[in-house]
């Protein structure tokens, strides 16, 4: 029985995301295989980094003129990415898989997801009777794949993406079996947490998977490990409430990038990462990058905890105190430093 995490990339930006995702899964000591579906041809150096991170690189094409089903889909170019993602069902050399968007980040081991049945997923924040397709458990099967293609042909996707199509196909998800509803912490929409701040403050430290859905991705920001800060491309982006609550998660994404992805490259740049390398220390030695997060050796069993940490974990949250987001950041740091053996 072979089980795998599967992601998809069609360009260098998402490749960066996939590298962080893959390394974050490894840092959390997954025992599963890691697979990346390649919808384009990355440069050799990037391919090498992907090979170091993933067990299998599987080339997929958006359209293939030799295939009747795919030909039919060619009349619907907006389904291109949808079609590509659905090819995960063709990975029949695996018995069960978890698909994860390339813009997700794992902060705690989630191998328990493989005990779930197809199709398990978390509610979508925009329309909670639907599931979000950033993280889902599925069972590869050519039969299911064929049926999905049929549905794509006959009805298309009501939102033009994979999410619409998969929700149409697995339409009983919201009513039939509660065990197929993944808890939100397995697919937490980082950029929407500001809309329910008390919930973020109460549950933020239980998050296992962060999903950077929407148009702003972590790789659009820069990170300075000198002062442990995240910078946006425009001031309107970094001034917003949304940015404020998303910041701890973007920071964590960059820490994984700097510690676990950057060393995979001999040069300092990856695709479009010149943004990050213009920041003073993104290529600096690991020891200096972690200086701002605590004394060396203080994580792991000796995770530094604020006096209020126990209260925090009991759910007694100070909603107005200065430490609102620091506790979440501290927890995220403790998780990734422990899991990633950064010291
Ligand atoms: N994707 C890709 N290239 C693209 C767009 C999307 O490889 O140009 C893949 C990637 O795995 C991504 C997933 O499709 O995570 C879904 O897209 P995205 O995460 O941007 O959608 P959102 O979660 O923001 O709705
Ligand atoms: Mn996504």
């Amino acid at each position: 029985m072979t089980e795998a995490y599967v992601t998809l990339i069609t360009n260098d930006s998402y490749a960066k995301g996939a590298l962080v995702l893959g390394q974050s899964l490894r840092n959390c000591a997954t025992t599963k295989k890691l697979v990346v579906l390649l919808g384009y041809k990355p440069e050799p150096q990037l391919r090498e980094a992907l090979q170091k991170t993933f067990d299998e690189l599987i080339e997929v094409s958006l359209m293939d003129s030799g295939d009747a089903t795919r030909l039919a889909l060619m009349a619907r170019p907006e389904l291109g990415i949808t079609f590509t993602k659905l090819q995960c069902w063709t990975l029949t050399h695996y018995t069960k898989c978890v698909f994860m968007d390339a813009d997700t980040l794992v902060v705690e081991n989630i191998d328990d997801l493989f005990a779930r049945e197809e199709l398990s997923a978390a509610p979508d924040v925009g329309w909670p009777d639907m599931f979000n397709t950033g993280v889902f458990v599925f069972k590869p099967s050519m039969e299911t794949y064929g049926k999905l293609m049929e549905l794509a042909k006959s009805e298309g996707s009501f939102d033009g993406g994979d999410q619409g199509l998969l929700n149409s196909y697995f339409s009983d998800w919201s009513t039939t079996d509660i065990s197929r509803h993944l808890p939100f912490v397995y697919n937490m929409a980082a950029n929407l947490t500001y809309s329910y701040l008390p919930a973020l403050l109460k549950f933020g430290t239980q998050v296992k998977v962060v999903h950077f859905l929407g148009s702003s991705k972590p790789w659009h920001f820069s990170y300075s490990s000198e002062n442990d800060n995240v910078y946006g491309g425009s001031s309107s982006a970094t001034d917003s409430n949304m940015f404020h609550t998303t910041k701890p998660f973007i920071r964590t994404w960059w820490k994984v990038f700097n510690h676990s992805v950057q060393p995979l490259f001999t040069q300092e740049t990856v695709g479009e990462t010149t943004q990050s390398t213009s920041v003073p220390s993104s290529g600096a030695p690991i020891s200096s990058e972690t200086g701002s997060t605590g004394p060396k050796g203080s994580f792991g069993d000796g995770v530094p905890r604020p006096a209020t940490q126990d209260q925090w974990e009991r759910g007694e949250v100070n909603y107005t105190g200065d430490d609102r987001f620091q506790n979440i950041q501290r927890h995220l740091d403790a998780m990734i430093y422990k899991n990633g053996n950064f010291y």
Side-chain angles (χ1 to χ4, degrees):
M1 188 163 81
T2 326
E3 298 174 328
Y5 291 97
V6 183
T7 191
L8 161 70
I9 56 175
T10 65
N11 57 45
D12 283 355
S13 296
Y14 283 96
K16 250 188 288 180
L19 287 170
V20 168
L21 166 64
Q23 290 296 331
S24 72
L25 281 161
R26 298 233 179 266
N27 288 344
C28 293
T30 181
T31 60
K32 311 300 176 187
K33 298 285 186 196
L34 304 189
V35 177
V36 61
L37 303 178
L38 279 182
Y40 82 119
K41 292 200 186 308
E43 291 303 309
Q45 213 190 3
L46 181 52
R47 177 178 285 270
E48 202 178 302
L50 288 164
Q51 275 163 345
K52 286 179 191 161
T53 305
F54 291 88
D55 297 291
E56 231 191 325
L57 275 56
I58 298 177
E59 287 180 17
V60 291
S61 53
L62 297 185
M63 300 289 169
D64 178 349
S65 56
D67 183 301
T69 311
R70 295 182 193 190
L71 268 176
L73 283 166
M74 284 180 81
R76 302 287 307 276
E78 81 277 13
L79 291 185
I81 295 294
T82 297
F83 184 89
T84 311
K85 195 164 174 177
L86 298 178
Q87 287 183 64
C88 66
W89 261 274
T90 67
L91 304 177
T92 51
H93 51 304
Y94 295 106
T95 46
K96 197 182 278 183
C97 296
V98 173
F99 182 91
M100 301 189 75
D101 268 7
D103 60 346
T104 57
L105 168 74
V106 177
V107 293
E108 192 176 337
N109 187 293
I110 51 168
D111 285 357
D112 58 306
L113 282 180
F114 289 86
R116 305 258 181 174
E117 299 300 326
E118 175 176 281
L119 184 290
S120 292
D124 184 72
V125 284
W127 198 266
D129 288 342
M130 284 177 34
F131 55 86
N132 181 274
T133 53
V135 177
F136 61 87
V137 182
F138 71 101
K139 205 170 157 33
S141 148
M142 289 312 290
E143 190 190 341
T144 308
Y145 179 66
K147 286 179 180 169
L148 284 166
M149 290 300 102
E150 276 305 309
L151 188 63
K153 241 196 312 182
S154 61
E155 285 185 27
S157 163
F158 71 82
D159 67 356
D162 59 281
Q163 184 157 310
L165 186 69
L166 287 174
N167 272 276
S168 296
Y169 187 81
F170 296 101
S171 58
D172 64 350
W173 171 84
S174 68
T175 51
T176 307
D177 179 0
I178 194 68
S179 72
R180 291 180 198 172
H181 280 238
L182 297 183
F184 193 56
V185 290
Y186 285 88
N187 183 359
M188 195 216 59
N191 56 344
L192 287 168
T193 47
Y194 74 98
S195 64
Y196 195 1
L197 199 51
L200 172 66
L201 295 171
K202 181 164 170 56
F203 299 113
T205 59
Q206 295 171 26
V207 167
K208 295 169 189 286
V209 179
V210 183
H211 185 183
F212 297 93
L213 61 78
S215 54
S216 260
K217 306 299 188 193
W219 50 86
H220 295 144
F221 296 87
S222 303
Y223 170 71
S224 164
S225 49
E226 298 264 288
N227 58 8
D228 191 25
N229 213 350
V230 169
Y231 303 92
S234 67
S235 57
S236 62
T238 45
D239 286 347
S240 68
N241 283 340
M242 188 194 286
F243 177 70
H244 193 55
T245 56
T246 313
K247 210 168 159 181
F249 303 107
I250 298 175
R251 269 202 196 106
T252 303
W253 187 95
W254 273 107
K255 285 175 186 173
V256 176
F257 182 88
N258 282 349
H259 286 96
S260 303
V261 175
Q262 195 83 30
L264 301 173
F265 294 86
T266 48
Q267 290 171 9
E268 282 195 9
T269 51
V270 189
E272 299 161 28
T273 57
T274 41
Q275 272 178 334
S276 68
T277 51
S278 65
V279 177
S281 53
S282 68
I286 287 170
S287 56
S288 71
E289 287 183 31
T290 52
S292 60
T293 51
K296 189 166 175 151
S298 63
F299 290 99
D301 287 338
V303 173
R305 289 171 188 278
T308 55
Q309 185 77 21
D310 288 343
Q311 281 175 295
W312 180 266
E313 284 173 354
R314 286 198 302 272
E316 296 164 11
V317 179
N318 172 6
Y319 291 114
T320 54
D322 290 340
D323 61 352
R324 303 192 323 168
F325 300 107
Q326 283 170 14
N327 280 310
I328 292 173
Q329 186 72 64
R330 251 184 228 115
H331 174 78
L332 291 168
D333 284 347
M335 294 304 288
I336 61 164
Y337 288 131
K338 186 176 75 178
N339 291 328
N341 295 318
F342 287 164
Y343 287 100

